[in-house]
Amino acid sequence: MEIQRNKVYAVITGDIVASSRLSSGNREKLYQIMVESSEFLRKAFEDAIQIDVDIFRGDSWQMLLSKPEQALRLALFYRAMLRAKMESHRFNTRMAIALGCVDFIPAKRVSEGYGEAYKLSGRALESIPKANNMCFVYAGNKQEKILDVVVQLIDAVSSRWSDKQALAVTGALRGWKQEKIAETWWKKKVSQQAVAQHLARAGWYSVEKGIQFFELCLRKELSENKHNSL
């Protein structure tokens, strides 16, 4: 992946909550699911993420996005996919979204990259309060605190998703209609009404508005920054 100087990227750093409590069998299952979910993610949002999520130390992961305004959407997609495939409402991952420049990324290992976005994301993950599992950092940006609040509120909702609610949300995050989610996303076909119920109980319609606000604010901010730098 070719890195552009002075371009803003998003780096999301995460780790699995209470991974030390997993059995050896579930650890192996988790790794395979993390790899599989990364492939789903890249195929679903190929315009924003060109390199697979990098998994390291067994329970930590990192992704690099060339479209930082989509960072919240992709972070939630990865969380929801992991929870749906682990089939447990107790399963969760902490995530720190950071925006900034990237100096380089060797080979295809996201975790071996370096730059402002990497440093901010890593530090933010280490400093997340125990009561939260998600945060947002964009140093020096006037929208940073507002968007961090949006991210934390969405975190509070998404951390309660059941595996079925999470699966329904992954389809909604891709912009799929409820009928398509019902027909293609389950092992066995379910009704559109069932999908609607899962999305409603997941608080999806409020979450969706939060994501749209996040993306609108960042898209405007990034556009203004690009114009000012010309």
Side-chain angles (χ1 to χ4, degrees):
M1 178 178 175
E2 184 178 350
I3 295 298
Q4 299 179 34
R5 297 290 180 178
N6 300 318
K7 173 181 169 57
V8 175
Y9 291 85
V11 171
I12 307 175
T13 307
D15 60 20
I16 305 303
V17 176
S19 61
S20 60
R21 299 176 187 173
L22 293 174
S23 66
S24 58
N26 277 333
R27 279 181 174 275
E28 183 176 354
K29 176 184 176 181
L30 171 62
Y31 177 79
Q32 295 300 325
I33 286 174
M34 291 176 76
V35 172
E36 184 180 333
S37 297
S38 171
E39 294 174 358
F40 271 113
L41 177 71
R42 184 166 49 79
K43 290 177 182 178
F45 302 97
E46 58 185 359
D47 59 333
I49 180 169
Q50 287 82 47
I51 303 176
D52 286 325
V53 175
D54 200 352
I55 304 165
F56 54 98
R57 292 203 302 262
D59 67 346
S60 298
W61 57 270
Q62 203 162 49
M63 72 171 75
L64 174 67
L65 309 182
S66 57
K67 288 195 172 183
E69 66 273 17
Q70 293 189 32
L72 179 56
R73 184 180 297 273
L74 270 67
L76 290 172
F77 184 93
Y78 196 59
R79 167 185 277 177
M81 184 64 74
L82 293 178
R83 177 167 292 187
K85 289 185 171 296
M86 287 296 288
E87 299 180 335
S88 172
H89 70 280
R90 295 182 179 180
F91 178 85
N92 207 356
T93 179
R94 299 191 310 155
M95 301 181 283
I97 302 170
L99 269 60
C101 294
V102 171
D103 294 340
F104 70 91
I105 172 172
K108 292 186 178 182
R109 291 295 306 274
V110 173
S111 64
E112 294 179 2
Y114 184 81
E116 178 188 29
Y118 279 95
K119 291 186 285 186
L120 291 173
S121 183
R123 292 171 185 168
L125 184 67
E126 293 175 356
S127 61
I128 291 180
K130 290 185 178 180
N132 301 332
N133 286 310
M134 206 168 178
C135 67
F136 172 78
V137 183
Y138 189 5
N141 185 268
K142 59 185 178 181
Q143 301 280 7
E144 180 187 38
K145 291 184 178 179
I146 294 173
L147 295 180
D148 184 42
V149 171
V150 172
V151 166
Q152 289 190 43
L153 288 172
I154 290 178
D155 170 55
V157 176
S158 61
S159 290
R160 296 183 175 92
W161 289 340
S162 70
D163 55 325
K164 291 182 179 179
Q165 290 167 5
L167 187 59
V169 167
T170 57
L173 285 166
R174 299 179 69 173
W176 287 359
K177 299 294 185 181
Q178 291 177 8
E179 290 80 6
K180 183 173 182 179
I181 299 173
E183 292 172 358
T184 63
W185 220 219
W186 262 260
K187 294 178 181 178
K188 293 183 179 180
K189 184 179 176 181
V190 300
S191 67
Q192 176 270 324
Q193 290 82 2
V195 172
Q197 289 179 353
H198 288 316
L199 291 175
R201 291 169 182 169
W204 165 247
Y205 304 104
S206 296
V207 169
E208 183 181 31
K209 288 181 180 179
I211 294 172
Q212 291 171 345
F213 176 78
F214 180 93
E215 293 179 343
L216 178 64
C217 288
L218 279 183
R219 198 174 288 116
K220 181 178 179 181
E221 187 69 24
L222 292 168
S223 177
E224 289 177 355
N225 289 347
K226 183 177 181 180
H227 178 75
N228 293 335
S229 64
L230 297 177

